[in-house]
Amino acid sequence: MGNRTKLLLTLHVLIVYFLSFESYVSIKMDTNAMHPGQSLSGNQTLTSSNGRFELGFFKPGNSTGHYVGIWYTLSVDVVVWVANRDAPLYDPFGSRLELTETGRLVLYNQSEIPVWSSSNTVYDSVVAVLEDTGNLVLRNGSTSSSSSLVIVWESFDHPTDTWLPGAKLGGSKMNRKGQRQSYVSWSSWNDPSPGPFSLVLDADGTPAYHVLKNRHRHWTCGSWLERISSFSTDIVADKYTNMDYVSNKEENYYNYSITSPSIPVRFKIDVSGKVQKLVWKDDSQKWETIWEKPKEDCEIFDFCGANGACNQFVLPHCRCLDGFEPKVPAEWNRGNYTNGCRRRSRLRCGNDAKHGFRVIQNILLPAYEVSLTNDKSLEECKSACLRNCTCIAYTIGYDGNCSIWREDLVTIRYLSYGDNLGKDLYLRLPEAGGDKPRIRIKRFTISAAAATVILIGILGLLVSTRRMTSYSDAKATDDVLVIFKFGDLKSATKNFSEKLGEGGFGSVFKGMLPNSDAIAVKCLKFQDEEEKQFRAEVSTIGTIHHVNLVRLLGFCLKGMKRFLVYDYMPNGSLDSHLFYKDSKILDWKTRHHIALGIARGLAYLHEECRVRIIHCDIKPENILLDSDYNPLLSDFGLSKLFGRDFSRVLTSMKGTRGYLAPEMISGEPITPKSDVYSYGMLLLEIISGRRNWETADDKNDNYFPARAAICLSNGGDVLSLLDPKLQGGANAKQVIRACRVACWCIQDEEQNRPSMAQVVQVLEGVQEINIPPIPWFIQTIISC
Ligand SMILES: *[C@@H]1O[C@H](CO)[C@@H](O)[C@H](O)[C@H]1NC(C)=O
Ligand SMILES: *[C@@H]1O[C@H](CO)[C@@H](O)[C@H](O)[C@H]1NC(C)=O
Ligand SMILES: *[C@@H]1O[C@H](CO)[C@@H](O)[C@H](O)[C@H]1NC(C)=O
Ligand SMILES: *[C@@H]1O[C@H](CO)[C@@H](O)[C@H](O)[C@H]1NC(C)=O
Ligand SMILES: *[C@@H]1O[C@H](CO)[C@@H](O)[C@H](O)[C@H]1NC(C)=O
Ligand SMILES: *[C@@H]1O[C@H](CO)[C@@H](O)[C@H](O)[C@H]1NC(C)=O
Ligand SMILES: *[C@@H]1O[C@H](CO)[C@@H](O)[C@H](O)[C@H]1NC(C)=O
Ligand SMILES: *[C@@H]1O[C@H](CO)[C@@H](O)[C@H](O)[C@H]1NC(C)=O
């Protein structure tokens, strides 16, 4: 009793002493502790004994309310804890924070009404100490001696938005009594009342941590310790902190400590839902954010709503999946994606239902999958999906098991090409190809006309003397394939006198139609008896229209000879512009335009047209340029015409081998990825301005694909790979993308090569691309 009176007296004297100063700059109780009966009011504070933290009343920003809180003395605006976060006070001098005789901290407003208190339990001889860690602790026992001290309450157990070193994220397991710490954002920068966002540790006892928004998943992450999240790789452990994950019967939590007492670090969940790691920088006297999650909108859970897909590299980030449309278009167009997307036409289920799948490439797989452990292969997985009407998508998931989805697809995110987490998802659509045909008809207005050509083609098969349209009867219009009379071709080409070129499949001659349209006539090398088949194949090729594909105007049959008639391209083929000294130098812009155009044309052949076509002979000689240097791919579909002979011709052809994918040379089945390989080789030539297999400066070790791959892998100066004729005049970002994608295209394993559609996206800059590994065949070259 006597002791307490003495203390109160001392306190009183102290306060009077300080008050007697005219202009006290800061009134501090010269201590870090409060004893029963003592209180703080107005501008009185407690300071931790290391001087780092201060406890007292504060008023955030221009707010009218006052609060009791703890802040850093080195940046007083950084408040790390608030007692009365949703019970503001309006007169700090009339309010007081008191440590009661019964061992509770109670905050009274000016009407003497308690607005906040530490706990309801009654303790004897409790002391309140602001510790060096910033933790406000109520200890049972007024002397700081011995181990008999019991902590009866501490602010670390009741955190606000800041996770300080020494405090926990997590705590008692859910089924046990005890504290479990999560951190809740302020409502706004000047209102500490609890906001919608909280940082929590997974309730299931795993090391995963989440940001919740109004208690729903907002952003989620793997374990902090593994240093990886399911979204991207983080490094939270760094030179400033050590982080631990503790898990036992009672508890699971993260805790961390700082490596240097002079460099303060804190984590915070800010008002916009971002988790930040901040470090105090002495030289700038500022807090620096050294880590932040989620960094990008696309990392936010369900950002694009159901069945929306997020692409961080384009604006707007959200777009509905193929076959889907916004549920509420007005909201969607305003950038409110919460309503998501719905199917354009319903999936009908039943025996007669014709369902196709569309592959969505290189994405982070959506949430809520069902893992089927029995089905291992992609084919098994597909049939498992087809077996069940409720299945809307399938793929082999991250655990190697078949995953199927039954609900709306949530949180689909496009990743950088080459990202380890990138997977292909097979999305169920009402019929093969989904809505694609409709788009194609619109874009190319060929529907009816193409059908006519096909019909005529079929009639042609039935009555082989029937002509499709002879040149004398009809003009070569966009839509109709013309059957030329041999005599007409002969006079158009002045008896095949002006040769444009010669390739493995035949010679090409220039011609002029009576209406002054220039044409190129390809005289095929092979002799053919199967006229019907030839007509069928040609009419198929004739239906393929794309701005980057040379248009087939018609054909001609003369005995066993076969001729194909194309639009004439005034600027010839790409090789003459890239490799010959006396030609005009193609600037980077044109080269990029050419590379992109060819990629689009190939993507169309591979994925979009009704008959999927593998070109098999991508090389500069087959890229033609129109008068505006728009690229057009020629000779597509020949693989169909030549059938089995095709690959034999190809592999024996001079000047082709350097473009052939390993599987083509070894005689394995050819896939669209074989074209991708050839395209990669072509793209490297477009970048370097010389043949890949030519050696510059007579140096034998100068195989350009090897130089490019090594340069990329070493993080070298990619611009040094550029054609010296351009003298560095190029968009560096585009060159880097082009080099990276080219090097991914020439990977040994087909599955590591991108699809042409992905190549297009990378060149367009709407997909990011990681650094490619050095292809194996190049590693063997450089090691010998
Ligand atoms: C502390 O409070 C007194 C009123 O009791 C006031 O006069 C003084 O300006 C305050 N000091 C500071 C630093 O705000
Ligand atoms: C505080 O200032 C911000 C702008 O800085 C303003 O938007 C807000 O309305 C102000 N709040 C009050 C309570 O004055
Ligand atoms: C004190 O708190 C009580 C209860 O919240 C409230 O009714 C009262 O208006 C407050 N008084 C002042 C002066 O803020
Ligand atoms: C507080 O400590 C005293 C001894 O210092 C002990 O007798 C008492 O039981 C403790 N009370 C609580 C609630 O821990
Ligand atoms: C986390 O807490 C455990 C148990 O108290 C302790 O052993 C460990 O050192 C702490 N880890 C860090 C990084 O502070
Ligand atoms: C988004 O749309 C939903 C439903 O239409 C609506 O409830 C919500 O308020 C909208 N959100 C915003 C930010 O406009
Ligand atoms: C994947 O399948 C294996 C059995 O093949 C099983 O042990 C494992 O638990 C499965 N993974 C998941 C997540 O179901
Ligand atoms: C299909 O899915 C439903 C609902 O998820 C499930 O109850 C049912 O057993 C599945 N049917 C088959 C044949 O797998």
Side-chain angles (χ1 to χ4, degrees):
M1 209 51 184
N3 263 354
R4 196 179 299 151
T5 320
K6 241 198 223 155
L7 255 165
L8 279 172
L9 205 67
T10 319
L11 189 67
H12 182 73
V13 169
L14 258 172
I15 291 172
V16 170
Y17 170 78
F18 274 112
L19 285 175
S20 65
F21 278 87
E22 271 293 305
S23 60
Y24 47 82
V25 174
S26 72
I27 282 280
K28 281 176 189 161
M29 307 179 70
D30 186 27
T31 173
N32 65 343
M34 274 166 88
H35 296 269
Q38 292 183 329
S39 62
L40 291 181
S41 184
N43 49 21
Q44 299 165 335
T45 62
L46 293 185
T47 305
S48 62
S49 52
N50 63 356
R52 176 129 290 160
F53 293 98
E54 198 167 8
L55 166 80
F57 289 81
F58 73 98
K59 184 173 83 75
N62 58 359
S63 128
T64 50
H66 294 255
Y67 301 84
V68 166
I70 299 172
W71 56 85
Y72 281 96
T73 49
L74 45 74
S75 55
V76 295
D77 56 326
V78 175
V79 174
V80 297
W81 180 77
V82 184
N84 53 322
R85 40 188 321 188
D86 45 10
L89 303 160
Y90 297 96
D91 175 13
F93 288 91
S95 313
R96 71 178 195 284
L97 177 68
E98 182 178 308
L99 181 61
T100 65
E101 305 284 345
T102 56
R104 297 164 60 206
L105 272 174
V106 181
L107 181 58
Y108 296 96
N109 71 9
Q110 72 201 96
S111 336
E112 288 289 322
I113 309 281
V115 297
W116 176 85
S117 80
S118 59
S119 69
N120 295 318
T121 326
V122 173
Y123 299 100
D124 273 343
S125 344
V126 160
V127 60
V129 180
L130 180 58
E131 296 195 323
D132 287 353
T133 53
N135 192 8
L136 178 62
V137 177
L138 299 192
R139 283 199 298 244
N140 180 9
S142 49
T143 53
S144 58
S145 72
S146 88
S147 53
S148 67
L149 292 181
V150 178
I151 291 176
V152 298
W153 183 91
E154 57 186 317
S155 62
F156 273 12
D157 277 348
H158 305 271
T160 54
D161 67 340
T162 302
W163 178 20
L164 288 173
K168 295 171 180 174
L169 170 64
S172 284
K173 289 198 165 159
M174 280 307 176
N175 50 355
R176 313 216 164 226
K177 267 211 212 132
Q179 295 293 336
R180 192 166 174 87
Q181 280 80 49
S182 55
Y183 297 82
V184 181
S185 67
W186 287 27
S187 288
S188 73
W189 68 276
N190 63 0
D191 179 1
S193 67
F197 298 103
S198 52
L199 169 64
V200 302
L201 182 62
D202 189 25
D204 300 335
T206 76
Y209 57 101
H210 315 277
V211 173
L212 305 181
K213 181 179 186 183
N214 297 322
R215 296 168 191 245
H216 295 293
R217 186 130 69 123
H218 176 68
W219 172 80
T220 194
C221 185
S223 131
W224 225 310
L225 268 204
E226 286 163 354
R227 300 184 181 188
I228 68 156
S229 68
S230 53
F231 288 106
S232 64
T233 307
D234 302 325
I235 298 178
V236 177
D238 51 34
K239 60 179 176 178
Y240 303 108
T241 53
N242 293 316
M243 174 90 61
D244 276 337
Y245 175 65
V246 177
S247 179
N248 52 42
K249 252 204 217 134
E250 272 78 39
E251 296 184 299
N252 72 320
Y253 59 82
Y254 284 101
N255 62 347
Y256 74 102
S257 56
I258 48 178
T259 51
S260 159
S262 60
I263 308 178
V265 179
R266 65 193 161 103
F267 280 91
K268 172 183 174 166
I269 169 101
D270 88 343
V271 295
S272 65
K274 289 187 191 310
V275 187
Q276 298 170 323
K277 183 178 190 177
L278 299 111
V279 172
W280 176 258
K281 290 289 160 86
D282 245 345
D283 18 339
S284 59
Q285 293 286 296
K286 268 192 194 136
W287 290 94
E288 199 174 279
T289 305
I290 58 164
W291 177 89
E292 184 172 71
K293 283 280 161 184
K295 222 188 242 156
E296 298 170 341
D297 287 346
C298 287
E299 293 176 15
I300 293 170
F301 191 78
D302 203 15
F303 183 75
C304 292
N307 308 309
C310 201
N311 184 344
Q312 195 59 42
F313 309 111
V314 297
L315 282 170
H317 296 321
C318 294
R319 152 177 109 62
C320 290
L321 292 171
D322 279 338
F324 289 78
E325 62 193 5
K327 231 182 219 162
V328 185
E331 288 291 340
W332 182 273
N333 295 336
R334 277 180 36 205
N336 177 3
Y337 305 116
T338 50
N339 301 294
C341 309
R342 62 159 172 232
R343 280 190 189 278
R344 285 219 177 86
S345 52
R346 236 160 42 91
L347 269 186
R348 258 181 292 277
C349 206
N351 292 335
D352 58 338
K354 288 200 197 76
H355 288 167
F357 290 91
R358 170 165 289 264
V359 59
I360 313 172
Q361 289 179 315
N362 201 41
I363 55 161
L364 186 79
L365 294 179
Y368 309 133
E369 79 275 14
V370 181
S371 185
L372 307 176
T373 50
N374 293 334
D375 306 291
K376 287 272 170 261
S377 74
L378 203 55
E379 269 313 303
E380 286 169 338
C381 196
K382 179 178 182 176
S383 17
C385 185
L386 282 170
R387 272 199 305 276
N388 200 326
C389 275
T390 59
C391 173
I392 57 164
Y394 74 91
T395 197
I396 301 297
Y398 294 113
D399 61 0
N401 295 336
C402 170
S403 290
I404 63 169
W405 283 260
R406 290 172 174 154
E407 310 285 332
D408 284 335
L409 298 175
V410 169
T411 311
I412 288 184
R413 184 178 160 205
Y414 291 101
L415 298 173
S416 265
Y417 189 81
D419 193 312
N420 291 336
L421 293 169
K423 290 268 181 196
D424 293 348
L425 179 75
Y426 299 84
L427 173 67
R428 196 172 198 163
L429 293 173
E431 59 184 82
D435 303 33
K436 275 291 167 188
R438 219 169 69 195
I439 297 170
R440 206 181 325 136
I441 288 164
K442 213 165 126 195
R443 205 190 299 163
F444 298 106
T445 57
I446 59 159
S447 54
T452 316
V453 170
I454 292 163
L455 187 64
I456 294 172
I458 292 166
L459 288 177
L461 291 178
L462 297 175
V463 191
S464 65
T465 51
R466 176 94 174 85
R467 288 182 175 178
M468 290 188 176
T469 347
S470 76
Y471 178 68
S472 359
D473 302 338
K475 271 190 64 168
T477 68
D478 278 354
D479 307 328
V480 185
L481 210 50
V482 179
I483 302 182
F484 288 89
K485 288 180 185 155
F486 182 68
D488 290 342
L489 281 191
K490 209 170 153 185
S491 60
T493 58
K494 297 190 187 122
N495 202 12
F496 301 98
S497 57
E498 193 176 338
K499 196 168 184 172
L500 293 170
E502 166 136 28
F505 300 104
S507 309
V508 184
F509 300 91
K510 186 177 175 180
M512 186 77 81
L513 295 179
N515 67 358
S516 308
D517 283 350
I519 54 170
V521 179
K522 185 159 205 142
C523 174
L524 296 180
K525 251 188 194 157
F526 75 153
Q527 308 256 311
D528 177 36
E529 283 139 41
E530 292 288 327
E531 188 177 321
K532 289 175 193 172
Q533 176 147 3
F534 181 80
R535 279 171 181 266
E537 297 294 2
V538 164
S539 42
T540 308
I541 298 172
T543 61
I544 299 168
H545 296 252
H546 187 273
V547 288
N548 296 113
L549 299 176
V550 174
R551 198 164 53 119
L552 181 67
L553 300 175
F555 64 95
C556 169
L557 305 157
K558 168 76 177 166
M560 291 203 302
K561 282 196 158 175
R562 305 284 178 262
F563 301 87
L564 297 175
V565 181
Y566 295 99
D567 276 337
Y568 171 74
M569 292 296 138
N571 272 319
S573 57
L574 181 59
D575 55 321
S576 63
H577 297 274
L578 276 185
F579 308 133
Y580 301 119
K581 284 205 178 72
D582 48 355
S583 64
K584 174 184 168 229
I585 295 166
L586 294 179
D587 62 13
W588 173 254
K589 211 175 146 206
T590 310
R591 292 184 199 211
H592 189 260
H593 176 69
I594 291 170
L596 189 52
I598 294 309
R600 286 184 179 136
L602 265 178
Y604 181 78
L605 284 181
H606 287 174
E607 284 164 38
E608 283 179 78
C609 63
R610 195 173 46 86
V611 268
R612 301 192 173 191
I613 287 183
I614 304 173
H615 187 287
C616 293
D617 195 16
I618 305 294
K619 58 183 177 188
E621 288 74 8
N622 281 335
I623 313 300
L624 303 183
L625 301 171
D626 72 7
S627 50
D628 297 323
Y629 288 88
N630 294 309
L632 291 94
L633 190 54
S634 76
D635 271 11
F636 57 89
L638 291 194
S639 52
K640 280 179 126 26
L641 287 181
F642 283 75
R644 223 178 292 145
D645 284 343
F646 185 75
S647 52
R648 190 184 45 76
V649 176
L650 217 53
T651 44
S652 62
M653 219 145 67
K654 193 171 160 275
T656 289
R657 230 182 140 83
Y659 302 94
L660 295 185
E663 67 271 13
M664 295 177 85
I665 294 172
S666 67
E668 280 161 64
I670 292 172
T671 71
K673 292 292 179 73
S674 312
D675 279 349
V676 171
Y677 181 96
S678 310
Y679 177 85
M681 286 296 182
L682 168 75
L683 184 51
L684 288 172
E685 296 189 336
I686 292 176
I687 294 164
S688 70
R690 61 185 176 88
R691 298 273 191 197
N692 285 334
W693 62 86
E694 268 172 10
T695 54
D697 317 316
D698 297 323
K699 273 185 226 150
N700 284 325
D701 58 352
N702 211 354
Y703 180 56
F704 184 73
R707 232 184 89 199
I710 293 162
C711 174
L712 287 170
S713 144
N714 295 344
D717 175 16
V718 174
L719 278 181
S720 71
L721 299 171
L722 195 64
D723 188 347
K725 293 195 285 290
L726 295 178
Q727 299 178 324
N731 177 326
K733 269 192 189 155
Q734 285 179 350
V735 176
I736 291 170
R737 279 170 179 283
C739 284
R740 285 192 183 180
V741 82
C743 196
W744 276 107
C745 287
I746 60 169
Q747 295 293 314
D748 312 84
E749 299 293 334
E750 288 170 47
Q751 72 266 18
N752 292 336
R753 301 175 202 153
S755 68
M756 285 314 300
Q758 288 174 315
V759 172
V760 170
Q761 291 192 324
V762 170
L763 292 177
E764 282 174 341
V766 302
Q767 187 176 29
E768 211 43 74
I769 185 158
N770 288 3
I771 294 174
I774 301 178
W776 180 247
F777 77 93
I778 284 177
Q779 292 187 31
T780 55
I781 290 174
I782 51 184
S783 64
C784 61

